[in-house]
Amino acid sequence: MEKVHCLKRFVFLVMALGLVTIFTSCDDDDEPKPNVPALTDVVGNYAGKMQTTSVSPLAEEGEEPQGTDVSAEVTNENVSFEKFPVADLITAIMGEAAPGIIEAVGDVSYKVKYTPTFNDDKTVISMAFTPEPLILEINFPTEPTEGEGEGEGETPDLKVEVTIAAPEAGSFAYAGDKLAFKLQVTGVKVNNEPFELPVITFSFDLAKAK
């Protein structure tokens, strides 16, 4: 009889230990896991404004700059624009002829390669940009001259090569999921001929889409 009681106590002990283990496992599963910052946290879709400034202001004196709506996609390596805002740039280069050229150019895609690093407390991701030149190629037909059939007129090609630099590193701040960076136009060639133009700065202030 004593052996039976001992066996029962042993079974109860094993069951009790099993229940403790189960409850402990459940408690561990319910505990929130801490978010560990990663350089890939910058990846996503963004929207916001781009301000354009120049040594010779593009806006009228006293006019408050409104900025241009812009969206971008950030991957592990690039900040990509499906519609890079080039209207101010084309206006600065082409003057009165700009509206027709802007229409002829249409949507301009552009991407900028970057290398990310953390700040010391991992609250900000710094982004070192290495921009490639922005190439705009415009083809627009002219009216046929007398004696030429329709479609036989020359079609001039206009190629604009824009050298772009990053004056400083951009940043992604975890507070508000804000992305800020600047790109500068430091040189322009039109049909391979240098075009004199003041330095133009594009300042981007974007927020990550939720």
Side-chain angles (χ1 to χ4, degrees):
M1 181 66 68
E2 184 66 28
K3 289 183 179 180
V4 172
H5 285 304
C6 289
L7 181 60
K8 287 182 177 180
R9 282 198 292 269
F10 177 74
V11 171
F12 286 139
L13 178 61
V14 171
M15 291 175 64
L17 289 173
L19 289 173
V20 170
T21 302
I22 291 171
F23 287 133
T24 303
S25 299
C26 290
D27 288 343
D28 290 343
D29 290 340
D30 291 339
E31 288 181 4
K33 294 181 173 67
N35 291 325
V36 179
L39 292 175
T40 53
D41 291 338
V42 71
V43 172
N45 295 311
Y46 292 79
K49 294 286 187 180
M50 184 198 78
Q51 299 285 351
T52 304
T53 56
S54 170
V55 175
S56 300
L58 299 180
E60 295 294 332
E61 182 103 15
E63 183 179 342
E64 185 70 23
Q66 297 299 312
T68 302
D69 291 329
V70 64
S71 59
E73 179 186 7
V74 179
T75 66
N76 289 331
E77 296 182 344
N78 300 300
V79 177
S80 301
F81 301 87
E82 287 188 3
K83 299 179 181 181
F84 190 79
V86 295
D88 286 343
L89 176 61
I90 293 175
T91 300
I93 297 172
M94 306 308 301
E96 294 181 357
I101 293 176
I102 292 170
E103 184 178 355
V105 168
D107 295 336
V108 175
S109 61
Y110 183 63
K111 64 182 179 180
V112 191
K113 189 176 179 64
Y114 74 94
T115 302
T117 54
F118 275 120
N119 67 342
D120 291 340
D121 57 3
K122 292 190 175 182
T123 58
V124 173
I125 297 175
S126 178
M127 304 167 70
F129 290 99
T130 52
E132 296 288 333
L134 172 65
I135 306 296
L136 305 175
E137 293 183 337
I138 308 104
N139 296 325
F140 45 95
T142 58
E143 293 293 331
T145 58
E146 188 176 348
E148 291 179 329
E150 186 177 352
E152 293 180 1
E154 294 183 358
T155 304
D157 293 333
L158 183 64
K159 179 180 179 181
V160 179
E161 181 177 344
V162 183
T163 302
I164 295 181
E168 58 194 42
S171 64
F172 169 78
Y174 281 90
D177 288 340
K178 298 290 187 178
L179 175 62
F181 60 96
K182 294 181 179 180
L183 300 176
Q184 281 186 340
V185 174
T186 57
V188 175
K189 288 183 178 179
V190 178
N191 289 342
N192 295 320
E193 293 293 328
F195 184 88
E196 188 173 345
L197 191 72
V199 173
I200 297 174
T201 301
F202 299 134
S203 300
F204 295 87
D205 186 7
L206 311 176
K208 195 174 188 179
K210 301 298 184 183

